[in-house]
Amino acid sequence: MGLHLRFDPAIFEERFRTIERVFAWEDKFRRLLLRFERISDVHYAFKTLAYTLINLRHYCWS
């Protein structure tokens, strides 16, 4: 079974762009970028809030 059957460059490129776009959106939230919280649950809560805002901006307000 060759590598060419498992790897599609077009799919890889789209996933790479999507992930980089999400990281760029996440970088707009300074609190997540610098990570002030020592408690993981608090950091996770802020990430969840940030992703909620990102989705609202992208899908509801554009």
Side-chain angles (χ1 to χ4, degrees):
M1 187 178 264
L3 181 63
H4 66 282
L5 297 175
R6 295 182 182 199
F7 179 75
D8 185 1
I11 292 173
F12 176 79
E13 181 66 29
E14 179 62 30
R15 287 182 181 168
F16 182 76
R17 273 186 286 149
T18 301
I19 290 169
E20 290 299 317
R21 188 177 333 131
V22 169
F23 286 154
W25 286 336
E26 185 179 304
D27 286 347
K28 293 179 184 178
F29 294 90
R30 185 173 149 245
R31 191 166 194 118
L32 294 178
L33 187 61
L34 299 178
R35 186 157 183 180
F36 293 113
E37 290 78 25
R38 293 184 182 175
I39 301 170
S40 293
D41 288 341
V42 174
H43 183 71
Y44 178 74
F46 277 117
K47 271 195 177 279
T48 304
L49 181 61
Y51 290 140
T52 302
L53 290 172
I54 288 169
N55 282 318
L56 283 172
R57 288 179 189 166
H58 186 70
Y59 294 109
C60 297
W61 293 330
S62 58

